[in-house]
Amino acid sequence: MRISVDVQMTYQFPQPNTVALVLEAAHAPGQQIVRESLDLGDARVTRIAGDSGVGQRIWAQVGTEMQLHYQAQIDIARPGPDLSGMQAAPLHALPTEAAPYIRPSRYVQSDKFVSFVGKRFFDLQGGAKVAAIRDWIEMNLSYVPGASDSDTNVLETFAGRQGVCRDYAHLFCAMVRAAQIPARMASVYGPDVTPQDFHAVGEVWLDGGWHLVDATGMCGPESMALIAVGRDAYDIAFMESQAPATLINQGVSVIRA
Amino acid sequence: MRISVDVQMTYQFPQPNTVALVLEAAHAPGQQIVRESLDLGDARVTRIAGDSGVGQRIWAQVGTEMQLHYQAQIDIARPGPDLSGMQAAPLHALPTEAAPYIRPSRYVQSDKFVSFVGKRFFDLQGGAKVAAIRDWIEMNLSYVPGASDSDTNVLETFAGRQGVCRDYAHLFCAMVRAAQIPARMASVYGPDVTPQDFHAVGEVWLDGGWHLVDATGMCGPESMALIAVGRDAYDIAFMESQAPATLINQGVSVIRA
Amino acid sequence: MRISVDVQMTYQFPQPNTVALVLEAAHAPGQQIVRESLDLGDARVTRIAGDSGVGQRIWAQVGTEMQLHYQAQIDIARPGPDLSGMQAAPLHALPTEAAPYIRPSRYVQSDKFVSFVGKRFFDLQGGAKVAAIRDWIEMNLSYVPGASDSDTNVLETFAGRQGVCRDYAHLFCAMVRAAQIPARMASVYGPDVTPQDFHAVGEVWLDGGWHLVDATGMCGPESMALIAVGRDAYDIAFMESQAPATLINQGVSVIRA
Amino acid sequence: MRISVDVQMTYQFPQPNTVALVLEAAHAPGQQIVRESLDLGDARVTRIAGDSGVGQRIWAQVGTEMQLHYQAQIDIARPGPDLSGMQAAPLHALPTEAAPYIRPSRYVQSDKFVSFVGKRFFDLQGGAKVAAIRDWIEMNLSYVPGASDSDTNVLETFAGRQGVCRDYAHLFCAMVRAAQIPARMASVYGPDVTPQDFHAVGEVWLDGGWHLVDATGMCGPESMALIAVGRDAYDIAFMESQAPATLINQGVSVIRA
């Protein structure tokens, strides 16, 4: 599938500022960047590798206003495999790249879910357990914009039973990690995200590779363009600014090309 | 039912100390104190009314060691009514004594459970909803001594799905309050508590009165002797000491007389 | 001092609703209500005593829109005594009305501050300690609207070092309770509150009575009209509604008459 | 400096188990492993790289009892440079290996400390700010074994003002990250740790490299043997076991050789 991404944003800051931007589609397995451009005006730009080597993190030194325009065409050829048939690695076979992702993080206190996951999904293993967790979350959570904020953690989401994509993905990671299966947070572009915006999903380590899983049910793996990964929402924020950022305008468009 | 209570405890402190004790059976509806004695050695004792006027709180000025012996015989004639048939008061009919108990407290963040309770028990009202909540908790939690501590809050219990009587009662209060039905924490003696100890349960406001409910399933209302009530575990602690207290020995015996 | 209070508010709800209102000046020591009126249109009103018997809590059964107009003239003759010279009661002399207010609550985890308060103010007692805590908070916190929200607890405020009146009062109560001196939250009207709004302050138990203390430094006791008291912000909210409330307009005016 | 490390431990598990062990001194700059041996009996051992490529994480497949004996001689030739004279990198110059360590983690909610650090250390930059933060923590915290547990987070430590090495290091990382300077958690062996045990300290990114900093004041960089690094205590736990682990015995000896 080919998708076209167009992101425009203007932010203002009280003084010249350095922001971290993580919003370009990654050069990663399963997707190919056909065409891409990033216009940041006269900002000075430094790039480093993204977390776990996925994508890039941009340091942009901007003035009191940042105008950004990102465009890309991406061919996605990622299979949407049946999770249920996939195997989880036993702990002793977890490689370096996957091992950190069975541990809790700022918003994902997976250590608190060991007992729940053990009881609720005790009879399932590997991909079948992951699939059941995904289904459980989609069934038990309601997608309610405004019901959470950037400080909401996964204990609150589990009790509150509502949230947005960020909260769905956090809870998914929490439960999967509680089952000792590596799960990380991923930011993606998807044409079926409603309303259109940056989207957060989970990614699990099964059959020796990473697989995107959207607990909101909005996107399949074959239609998601991966941007970045990390332990939780903090690691994949599309923009991080220490100075207060005033939103002037922001638009994200993702369409099937 | 007549029960006999015998509590012995010895604690040591690094310096002379004032402790709060809340451990005598209350003179309250549904139970009659036939005989009672409290021996605190040469401690100086002051008494004030307990929270919401239930029972008494004792200030005991002790030396570096406190030896306590409490004995009581209590006749309990409390009906074990069918919760399911009872009515919850509409908000505008909640009296002064019940109104505070729909609000959250230190360990009972009931505000976080409004959505879950709304969805899970949407089709039930009043006592039937309370009964369903009680059953849900007994079914979904495991009684695991050591799985929680005195700092565990109800969000952790809800995710962790295990705990002791304190945690069961907290979660019960959280969910019932989230349904806008007053629920408070109660400490009781019961002959069927295993292992024998002070016991914590919930108490709900239905049909214009308070009704004891034990989410662990250990005790029925007809066999519980009420000690004290409050918003959560903090308010009903059998002993509170600012100085570190070293347990020398403690025994709680409750038997059918 | 005589002050005039004028509160107008309009809220809308998705369906007919029962709200709790706590916004009338209390008939309480140190202040006299000269004239008062509350217009709630055709809402049906029930009144119960406020927490700890201070003021009244109103249950208002409203339609999909609530229009409220409250007016009052209040004579305040409350001394602004020197806290430093006042005595704290020893624990064993705390009466029933004060004892609950040395315990933690939903947003005020005072149990976590025992060590800090013990170290930082170790050489002070009673009112002098309370005054030093108040001064410490005013000096170390910045008043920053928007820096906190209704879910911010006192651990976050203590680390964040900023907030609004609610956060100042929470931190004040936390530290004073950690010193085993009763402290509760109070809502008040004050002509010097900037910007004009409902205001939250602390109230401490010294010399056998309650004394208002404003850690923001905006108001002295002689210019505050007491509305309600409670353990923390939850207990003194001017309006509580289970249904989502849409603010149409709200204005609070408090002037020296 | 040459040090000798000797670690013995015996744990029992209810069933055969896979544990993660992170306890060997790392082959890392500033220290050289002269001799080392790890005896895990008949456990099957797999090794992967540690977080950020420092040291190794061992997966040990053990039976119902694990007996471990680790011995090493390590030459440490790590300068103990004057932090105060060192430079922090501007954000846009943070490399891939340092960038993740300005973000919060499970126990280190550094996002909550931005305002406190901004106010308290506003006049300092780079290494001088780091040194002042270290000194502030040593001065304001008390080392109190038992005052915290494995679930204590940095907000609680900041309010509670006491803890053990883990809590000192967490608070150090929180404040340094809040200043936008990378800080990570490190586990080390040190001959001056009292009582002898695994020790946790901070590591900061200054002058383009990592520097060990012990906020407890027990150890200088010249006497610490680095084991592992990570975002917080979870990443550097010397043993992680999903099954409950019963401690039979454990001894850590570190002496100047």
Side-chain angles (χ1 to χ4, degrees):
Chain A
M1 179 189 302
R2 174 168 295 187
I3 66 170
S4 285
V5 175
D6 190 295
V7 177
Q8 305 206 36
M9 53 173 75
T10 306
Y11 280 89
Q12 290 181 343
F13 312 100
Q15 67 270 355
N17 194 17
T18 298
V19 300
L21 299 168
V22 183
L23 47 66
E24 298 168 304
H27 293 255
Q31 62 190 36
Q32 187 167 0
I33 316 297
V34 182
R35 194 166 34 234
E36 61 181 328
S37 69
L38 175 66
D39 179 0
L40 266 162
D42 55 1
R44 298 184 53 182
V45 161
T46 326
R47 288 165 177 279
I48 58 176
D51 280 26
S52 290
V54 174
Q56 293 192 315
R57 179 171 292 261
I58 295 171
W59 296 113
Q61 300 174 67
V62 298
T64 55
E65 182 168 294
M66 175 185 80
Q67 290 196 21
L68 176 152
H69 191 189
Y70 169 66
Q71 289 177 292
Q73 277 208 341
I74 305 142
D75 280 349
I76 306 172
R78 179 180 295 120
D82 182 22
L83 287 176
S84 308
M86 304 181 84
Q87 304 291 317
L91 282 182
H92 66 266
L94 283 185
T96 301
E97 78 167 293
Y101 293 107
I102 57 171
R103 292 178 233 147
S105 54
R106 170 72 173 87
Y107 295 116
V108 178
Q109 298 102 320
S110 49
D111 46 309
K112 303 289 189 189
F113 288 84
V114 171
S115 173
F116 172 74
V117 169
K119 280 185 214 174
R120 188 67 181 69
F121 305 104
F122 73 96
D123 54 342
L124 298 171
Q125 302 301 326
K129 183 175 280 195
V130 171
I133 289 173
R134 198 214 70 82
D135 291 348
W136 187 96
I137 292 172
E138 185 175 1
M139 178 124 62
N140 283 279
L141 258 59
S142 300
Y143 197 93
V144 180
S148 59
D149 62 28
S150 67
D151 208 41
T152 302
N153 68 46
V154 80
L155 288 170
E156 296 171 314
T157 300
F158 184 63
R161 295 292 160 102
Q162 51 191 11
V164 295
C165 61
R166 169 193 185 281
D167 307 300
Y168 279 72
H170 277 168
L171 188 52
F172 176 76
C173 288
M175 290 192 187
V176 175
R177 290 179 195 173
Q180 302 278 287
I181 298 172
R184 60 190 189 188
M185 194 92 163
S187 56
V188 301
Y189 291 113
D192 302 321
V193 176
T194 312
Q196 262 304 346
D197 205 344
F198 298 102
H199 191 48
V201 301
E203 201 176 29
V204 294
W205 181 263
L206 291 171
D207 275 2
W210 290 105
H211 302 275
L212 292 166
V213 180
D214 184 355
T216 70
M218 285 181 187
C219 301
E222 74 290 350
S223 69
M224 290 190 266
L226 180 65
I227 302 169
V229 301
R231 292 204 178 171
D232 61 27
Y234 239 105
D235 292 340
I236 61 164
F238 69 88
M239 181 175 77
E240 223 181 320
S241 165
Q242 205 183 7
T246 304
L247 170 65
I248 304 305
N249 69 64
Q250 179 167 320
V252 173
S253 157
V254 184
I255 55 171
R256 288 179 168 75
Chain B
M1 180 189 300
R2 174 168 295 186
I3 66 170
S4 286
V5 175
D6 190 296
V7 178
Q8 304 205 37
M9 52 174 73
T10 306
Y11 279 89
Q12 291 181 343
F13 311 99
Q15 69 269 357
N17 192 19
T18 297
V19 300
L21 298 168
V22 183
L23 47 68
E24 297 168 304
H27 293 256
Q31 62 190 40
Q32 189 168 359
I33 316 297
V34 183
R35 195 168 29 234
E36 59 180 331
S37 71
L38 177 66
D39 180 1
L40 267 162
D42 54 0
R44 299 184 54 183
V45 161
T46 325
R47 287 165 177 281
I48 58 176
D51 280 26
S52 290
V54 173
Q56 293 191 317
R57 180 172 291 262
I58 295 171
W59 297 115
Q61 301 173 66
V62 298
T64 53
E65 182 167 295
M66 176 183 80
Q67 291 196 18
L68 177 153
H69 191 189
Y70 169 66
Q71 289 176 291
Q73 277 208 342
I74 306 143
D75 280 349
I76 306 171
R78 181 178 293 119
D82 182 21
L83 287 176
S84 309
M86 306 182 84
Q87 304 290 317
L91 281 182
H92 66 267
L94 283 186
T96 301
E97 78 168 291
Y101 293 107
I102 57 172
R103 293 178 232 144
S105 54
R106 170 73 171 85
Y107 295 115
V108 179
Q109 299 101 319
S110 50
D111 47 307
K112 303 289 188 189
F113 288 84
V114 172
S115 173
F116 172 75
V117 169
K119 280 185 213 172
R120 188 67 182 66
F121 306 104
F122 73 96
D123 54 341
L124 298 171
Q125 302 301 325
K129 183 176 281 193
V130 171
I133 289 173
R134 198 214 69 81
D135 292 347
W136 188 96
I137 292 172
E138 187 176 358
M139 179 125 59
N140 283 278
L141 257 59
S142 300
Y143 196 93
V144 180
S148 59
D149 61 29
S150 66
D151 208 42
T152 301
N153 70 43
V154 79
L155 288 170
E156 296 170 314
T157 301
F158 184 62
R161 297 291 161 102
Q162 51 190 10
V164 294
C165 61
R166 168 193 186 281
D167 307 299
Y168 279 73
H170 277 167
L171 187 53
F172 177 76
C173 288
M175 290 192 186
V176 175
R177 290 179 196 173
Q180 302 279 287
I181 298 172
R184 62 191 187 187
M185 192 91 163
S187 55
V188 301
Y189 292 113
D192 302 320
V193 175
T194 311
Q196 262 304 343
D197 204 344
F198 299 101
H199 192 48
V201 301
E203 201 178 29
V204 293
W205 182 262
L206 292 171
D207 276 3
W210 290 106
H211 302 276
L212 292 167
V213 181
D214 184 357
T216 69
M218 285 181 189
C219 303
E222 73 292 349
S223 69
M224 289 190 266
L226 181 64
I227 303 168
V229 302
R231 291 201 178 174
D232 61 27
Y234 240 105
D235 292 340
I236 61 164
F238 69 87
M239 182 175 79
E240 221 180 321
S241 166
Q242 206 183 5
T246 304
L247 170 66
I248 305 302
N249 69 65
Q250 179 168 321
V252 174
S253 155
V254 184
I255 54 172
R256 289 178 166 78
Chain C
M1 178 189 302
R2 174 167 296 187
I3 65 170
S4 286
V5 175
D6 190 294
V7 177
Q8 305 205 36
M9 53 173 75
T10 306
Y11 280 89
Q12 291 181 344
F13 311 100
Q15 68 270 357
N17 193 18
T18 298
V19 300
L21 298 168
V22 183
L23 48 66
E24 298 168 304
H27 293 257
Q31 62 189 40
Q32 189 165 0
I33 315 297
V34 181
R35 196 168 29 236
E36 60 180 329
S37 71
L38 176 66
D39 180 0
L40 266 161
D42 55 1
R44 299 184 56 183
V45 161
T46 325
R47 288 166 177 279
I48 59 175
D51 279 26
S52 290
V54 173
Q56 292 191 319
R57 179 172 293 260
I58 295 171
W59 297 113
Q61 299 174 68
V62 299
T64 54
E65 181 167 294
M66 177 185 80
Q67 290 195 21
L68 177 154
H69 191 189
Y70 169 67
Q71 289 177 293
Q73 277 208 343
I74 306 143
D75 280 349
I76 305 171
R78 179 178 294 119
D82 181 20
L83 287 178
S84 308
M86 304 181 85
Q87 303 291 316
L91 281 183
H92 66 266
L94 283 187
T96 301
E97 78 168 292
Y101 293 106
I102 58 171
R103 291 177 235 146
S105 54
R106 170 73 172 87
Y107 295 117
V108 178
Q109 299 100 319
S110 50
D111 46 308
K112 303 290 188 188
F113 288 85
V114 171
S115 173
F116 172 74
V117 169
K119 281 185 213 174
R120 187 67 182 70
F121 306 104
F122 72 97
D123 54 342
L124 298 171
Q125 301 302 324
K129 183 175 280 195
V130 171
I133 288 173
R134 199 214 69 82
D135 292 348
W136 188 94
I137 292 172
E138 187 175 359
M139 179 123 62
N140 283 279
L141 257 60
S142 300
Y143 196 93
V144 180
S148 58
D149 62 28
S150 67
D151 208 41
T152 302
N153 69 44
V154 79
L155 289 170
E156 296 171 315
T157 301
F158 184 62
R161 297 294 161 99
Q162 51 190 12
V164 295
C165 62
R166 169 194 186 282
D167 306 300
Y168 279 73
H170 277 168
L171 188 52
F172 176 76
C173 288
M175 290 192 186
V176 174
R177 289 179 197 173
Q180 301 279 287
I181 298 172
R184 61 191 189 187
M185 193 90 162
S187 55
V188 302
Y189 292 113
D192 302 321
V193 176
T194 310
Q196 261 305 343
D197 205 343
F198 299 101
H199 191 49
V201 302
E203 200 176 30
V204 293
W205 181 262
L206 292 171
D207 276 4
W210 289 107
H211 303 274
L212 291 166
V213 180
D214 184 356
T216 70
M218 284 181 188
C219 302
E222 74 289 350
S223 69
M224 289 190 267
L226 181 64
I227 302 168
V229 301
R231 291 203 180 173
D232 61 28
Y234 239 104
D235 292 338
I236 61 165
F238 70 88
M239 182 176 77
E240 221 180 322
S241 166
Q242 205 184 6
T246 305
L247 169 65
I248 305 303
N249 69 62
Q250 180 168 319
V252 173
S253 156
V254 184
I255 54 172
R256 288 179 167 77
Chain D
M1 179 188 302
R2 174 168 296 188
I3 66 170
S4 285
V5 175
D6 189 296
V7 177
Q8 306 205 33
M9 53 173 74
T10 306
Y11 280 89
Q12 291 181 343
F13 311 100
Q15 69 269 356
N17 193 19
T18 298
V19 300
L21 298 168
V22 184
L23 47 66
E24 297 167 303
H27 293 256
Q31 62 190 37
Q32 188 166 359
I33 316 297
V34 182
R35 193 165 34 234
E36 62 181 327
S37 70
L38 175 66
D39 179 1
L40 266 163
D42 54 1
R44 296 184 55 182
V45 162
T46 326
R47 289 163 177 281
I48 59 175
D51 281 25
S52 290
V54 174
Q56 292 191 319
R57 179 172 292 262
I58 295 171
W59 297 114
Q61 299 174 70
V62 299
T64 55
E65 182 167 295
M66 176 184 81
Q67 290 196 22
L68 177 153
H69 191 189
Y70 169 66
Q71 288 176 293
Q73 276 208 343
I74 306 144
D75 280 348
I76 306 172
R78 180 179 293 118
D82 182 23
L83 287 177
S84 308
M86 304 181 86
Q87 304 291 315
L91 282 183
H92 66 265
L94 282 187
T96 301
E97 78 166 293
Y101 293 107
I102 58 172
R103 291 177 233 146
S105 54
R106 170 73 173 86
Y107 295 116
V108 179
Q109 299 100 321
S110 50
D111 46 307
K112 303 290 188 187
F113 288 84
V114 171
S115 174
F116 172 74
V117 169
K119 281 186 213 174
R120 188 66 182 68
F121 305 104
F122 73 96
D123 54 342
L124 297 171
Q125 302 302 324
K129 183 175 280 196
V130 171
I133 288 172
R134 199 213 70 82
D135 292 348
W136 188 96
I137 292 172
E138 187 176 1
M139 178 124 61
N140 283 278
L141 257 59
S142 300
Y143 196 93
V144 180
S148 59
D149 62 29
S150 67
D151 208 41
T152 301
N153 68 45
V154 80
L155 289 170
E156 296 170 314
T157 301
F158 185 62
R161 296 293 160 103
Q162 52 191 9
V164 294
C165 62
R166 170 193 184 281
D167 306 299
Y168 280 72
H170 277 168
L171 188 51
F172 176 76
C173 288
M175 290 193 185
V176 174
R177 290 179 196 174
Q180 301 279 285
I181 298 172
R184 62 190 187 188
M185 193 90 162
S187 56
V188 302
Y189 292 113
D192 302 321
V193 175
T194 312
Q196 261 305 344
D197 205 344
F198 298 101
H199 191 48
V201 301
E203 199 177 31
V204 293
W205 180 262
L206 292 171
D207 276 3
W210 290 106
H211 302 274
L212 292 166
V213 181
D214 184 356
T216 70
M218 283 181 189
C219 301
E222 74 290 350
S223 68
M224 289 190 267
L226 180 65
I227 302 167
V229 301
R231 290 203 179 173
D232 61 28
Y234 240 105
D235 292 339
I236 61 165
F238 69 88
M239 181 175 78
E240 223 181 320
S241 164
Q242 206 183 6
T246 304
L247 169 66
I248 304 303
N249 69 64
Q250 179 168 322
V252 173
S253 156
V254 183
I255 54 172
R256 288 180 168 76

